[in-house]
Amino acid sequence: TWVHRDFGRNTGSIDTQFKSENVVLQARAERLNNIHEHRRAYYFGSPTEKKQLQNDLMKDAQKQLELKQSLKRIEKEREALETRRISDYQRQKLEEAQRAELRRKEALMSIQSDNRKMIEEKKEKKVNERSQEIISDSTDQQRFFIGKLSYTVR
């Protein structure tokens, strides 16, 4: 024989566990009773019971069909939403990539423009230096020539 001894445990949790197990057992017993009643009506029932059973089965089948269609519709909506979300994400990433490419091209064009300006400035500087050299040489030649003239005139 089994004797329940309480060793300071929380009896509330034991009671709660007992009640939950009891609910499960009652549900199981009710389900088995329904199965037994269905079989009795199917095999040994009167024509009205059989007709009622047939109507109940039709209603259950209709409910299952509606549930299945509802689940399919929900799944389709979820897939459409997921597809739209994925396409939005891909479009967003593509736009980001295009903007990054545009920024890169603009930066390269800016660098290219700066390089052209630097080349122009360098050419201009060379031309100015060359001009200064020519002017300087020309002044030196004039002095030399004037100096020669003044030497020969004496």
Side-chain angles (χ1 to χ4, degrees):
T1 63
W2 183 77
V3 177
H4 173 71
R5 293 187 183 155
D6 187 12
F7 294 108
R9 292 186 191 157
N10 187 355
T11 56
S13 65
I14 293 173
D15 290 340
T16 305
Q17 183 180 359
F18 174 74
K19 286 178 185 176
S20 65
E21 288 175 1
N22 198 18
V23 167
V24 170
L25 290 175
Q26 285 177 351
R28 186 179 294 159
E30 186 177 332
R31 189 170 47 98
L32 288 174
N33 190 27
N34 287 342
I35 291 171
H36 176 70
E37 182 59 30
H38 177 270
R39 285 182 183 162
R40 186 204 59 76
Y42 183 77
Y43 291 113
F44 305 111
S46 66
T48 56
E49 284 181 326
K50 288 183 179 183
K51 190 69 167 171
Q52 181 63 36
L53 184 63
Q54 187 178 14
N55 287 340
D56 291 345
L57 288 175
M58 278 299 247
K59 287 178 184 177
D60 287 345
Q62 187 65 31
K63 283 181 185 178
Q64 286 181 356
L65 180 63
E66 289 171 2
L67 180 64
K68 187 176 181 180
Q69 289 172 345
S70 174
L71 290 175
K72 278 186 179 181
R73 186 177 58 251
I74 290 170
E75 183 66 21
K76 260 187 177 180
E77 290 171 0
R78 188 189 65 76
E79 286 177 3
L81 182 65
E82 186 71 15
T83 302
R84 189 170 42 251
R85 188 183 66 79
I86 288 171
S87 65
D88 288 347
Y89 177 77
Q90 288 174 342
R91 188 185 81 260
Q92 179 185 7
K93 287 297 180 184
L94 180 63
E95 288 172 356
E96 287 176 9
Q98 288 172 342
R99 284 192 297 269
E101 182 67 19
L102 184 61
R103 283 192 302 270
R104 187 183 70 79
K105 284 182 179 180
E106 288 173 352
L108 289 175
M109 288 174 64
S110 174
I111 290 170
Q112 191 176 23
S113 173
D114 291 345
N115 286 343
R116 282 188 190 132
K117 287 178 185 176
M118 288 173 53
I119 290 170
E120 289 295 323
E121 289 172 1
K122 192 173 181 181
K123 283 181 182 178
E124 203 173 295
K125 186 177 177 183
K126 280 185 179 181
V127 167
N128 287 339
E129 287 176 357
R130 184 70 180 140
S131 299
Q132 290 297 328
E133 286 177 8
I134 291 172
I135 291 171
S136 151
D137 287 347
S138 150
T139 307
D140 289 344
Q141 283 178 358
Q142 283 177 359
R143 283 185 201 148
F144 178 72
F145 183 69
I146 291 174
K148 257 190 168 186
L149 278 179
S150 63
Y151 181 69
T152 52
V153 173
R154 288 188 190 179

